[in-house]
Amino acid sequence: MARTVSILGSTGSIGRQALEVCAHLGLRVTALAAHHSVQLLEEQARRFHPAQVAVVDRTAAADLKIRLADTSIRVQAGEEALIEAACCETADTVLNAVVGIAGLLPTVAAIEAGKDIALANKETLVAGGHLVMPMAARHEVRMLPVDSEHSAIFQCLQGHTDAAAIERILLTASGGPFFGRTRAELAAVTPAMALRHPTWQMGAKITIDSSTLMNKGLELIEARWLIDVRPDQIEIVVNRESILHSAVAFVDGAVIAQLGLPDMKLPIQYALTWPDRLPMDGGRLSLAQLGTLSFARPDEETFRCLPLCREAIRRGGGYPCVANGANEEAVALFLAGKLRYLEIAERIEEAMARWPDEPVDTVEAVLAADAFARRVVRAARA
Ligand code: MG
């Protein structure tokens, strides 16, 4: 099926690669949305001729409107424009690559508008999986994973839709730049140190999350919703080479894994061409050249964010949302030089301890839980 795509977060790492994939596949891009990167948005708009472009930052939107005045492209401003791009009439698929909890409302809007979702925004499911997955089922839209691990699991599950056939999910982690370090060694980590990831080139927020293993914790929660398995069926395995992107262990003892060079274009393309596989350029994995693959258990004593996420999904309700919100706020403070590295996990733990476990059965309640967590993190600084 040739999809028509709306890309939310088009100027970020995933968004830019998604546009390359769309160009390669000859897919029509009918809407673009980004926060503020005007120059890149202008280039993308002139190249892909979408019907509309949404810019969340209003000053940037006004600037882009002037830059695109010679075209028929509609430029819209604000959070509401992001929602409109998610509902864009001519799109059948929305690729959501927005960073953070800001991706939740656009996903909900796109589902309600009957769009298939190519999901790169993990916070949608971390914070709102209990609402979003039933909503997607009701509207009969597909949730196509773009995250490399979840795409790998999805690829391993082709032909095995029966949940009873799954014994365990083996969710792989690179281990991040601080694999093998002790807590004492992590005390003095600076943003620059944490921003150097060994195998994946990504945006700042997810690179920090990879270094703390919070990213794997979020992915654990994401997997629980996407695949509909119990959290205790998900095992985290470190693969330092980032070659084995995840695997599924079945009840007969078979383990099916997806391997490949670390390149996000494959999961992006697979989400857009599923159930078909189409040719893709780029490097090819040579197992003989690679020689060995190494596996290890994650060090959950040192990297506290991972067990905190496991505890959050075990408790359920608003806890995963609170853990995520606290992390987002803490990472922003860390990047701004206002929080120490090891305090990120401490703040998450504190926010979870203070959460009154109120019901979160509406999107508004989810966003309120997120706001609660952020307040706790900011108050702890003062
Ligand atoms: Mg991932």
Side-chain angles (χ1 to χ4, degrees), residues 88-141:
C88 173
E89 214 176 306
T90 43
D92 53 57
T93 304
V94 173
L95 192 147
N96 185 350
V98 169
V99 176
I101 191 74
L104 176 61
L105 284 176
T107 303
V108 168
I111 292 172
E112 284 175 342
K115 316 294 186 192
D116 283 341
I117 311 291
L119 191 66
N121 172 264
K122 53 192 71 160
E123 292 80 1
T124 287
L125 292 181
V126 169
H130 60 296
L131 300 175
V132 168
M133 292 310 288
M135 196 182 289
R138 265 201 315 280
H139 289 270
E140 295 179 357
V141 304

Side-chain angles (χ1 to χ4, degrees), residues 51-369:
Q52 63 191 81
V53 179
V55 193
V56 173
D57 182 278
R58 289 177 190 279
T59 312
D63 183 5
L64 187 66
K65 206 166 204 163
I66 295 166
R67 286 168 181 250
L68 292 176
D70 63 316
T71 72
S72 59
I73 300 167
R74 211 162 65 246
V75 178
Q76 292 164 301
E79 300 281 351
E80 61 275 24
L82 186 59
I83 303 293
E84 274 196 47
C87 302
C88 173
E89 214 176 306
T90 43
D92 53 57
T93 304
V94 173
L95 192 147
N96 185 350
V98 169
V99 176
I101 191 74
L104 176 61
L105 284 176
T107 303
V108 168
I111 292 172
E112 284 175 342
K115 316 294 186 192
D116 283 341
I117 311 291
L119 191 66
N121 172 264
K122 53 192 71 160
E123 292 80 1
T124 287
L125 292 181
V126 169
H130 60 296
L131 300 175
V132 168
M133 292 310 288
M135 196 182 289
R138 265 201 315 280
H139 289 270
E140 295 179 357
V141 304
R142 296 187 185 283
M143 298 292 280
L144 300 154
V146 169
D147 208 341
S148 64
E149 294 81 357
H150 304 81
S151 173
I153 295 164
F154 183 57
Q155 292 176 58
C156 296
L157 285 174
Q158 295 305 306
H160 299 281
T161 47
D162 182 10
I166 303 170
E167 192 169 82
R168 279 172 306 143
I169 300 290
L170 305 173
L171 183 70
T172 49
S174 72
F178 306 131
F179 179 75
R181 305 276 184 94
T182 62
R183 272 185 78 75
E185 287 171 321
L186 295 184
V189 164
T190 62
M193 289 159 76
L195 285 171
R196 279 193 296 267
H197 193 276
T199 47
W200 291 101
Q201 289 295 317
M202 306 174 290
K205 200 263 174 181
I206 186 171
T207 305
I208 300 299
D209 286 351
S210 293
S211 79
T212 60
L213 295 201
M214 182 68 185
N215 184 54
K216 214 45 58 179
L218 297 177
E219 290 182 353
L220 172 97
I221 300 169
E222 192 186 6
R224 180 260 170 271
W225 292 114
L226 268 175
I227 322 298
D228 198 15
V229 289
R230 295 187 316 273
D232 64 288
Q233 286 177 286
I234 306 171
E235 183 183 331
I236 310 292
V237 185
V238 175
N239 172 226
R240 288 298 284 159
E241 297 85 5
S242 295
I243 293 292
L244 194 151
H245 297 308
S246 280
V248 178
F250 291 92
V251 286
D252 59 0
V255 176
I256 298 185
Q258 187 254 322
L259 290 77
L261 296 177
D263 183 350
M264 283 308 295
K265 281 190 185 148
L266 171 61
I268 293 167
Q269 172 164 305
Y270 191 70
L272 296 175
T273 64
W274 176 88
D276 300 326
R277 284 190 184 274
L278 295 184
M280 202 181 94
D281 299 332
R284 292 293 187 263
L285 173 63
S286 162
L287 288 175
Q289 201 174 0
L290 189 67
T292 54
L293 278 175
S294 62
F295 299 97
R297 285 190 205 288
D299 173 0
E300 300 197 2
E301 297 293 315
T302 303
F303 299 94
R304 295 288 306 146
C305 292
L306 181 54
L308 285 172
C309 283
R310 203 181 273 285
E311 179 61 17
I313 189 64
R314 196 189 63 74
R315 290 191 196 174
Y319 283 99
C321 173
V322 166
N324 175 70
N327 177 62
E328 254 184 71
E329 193 69 29
V331 168
L333 291 172
F334 169 69
L335 285 171
K338 293 175 179 167
L339 199 75
R340 288 193 301 274
Y341 188 71
L342 290 175
E343 286 178 315
I344 296 173
E346 289 168 16
R347 292 293 175 271
I348 296 168
E349 191 162 16
E350 184 179 351
M352 284 172 61
R354 288 176 186 262
W355 171 240
D357 200 10
E358 286 163 9
V360 284
D361 38 24
T362 61
V363 173
E364 292 70 27
V366 167
L367 295 176

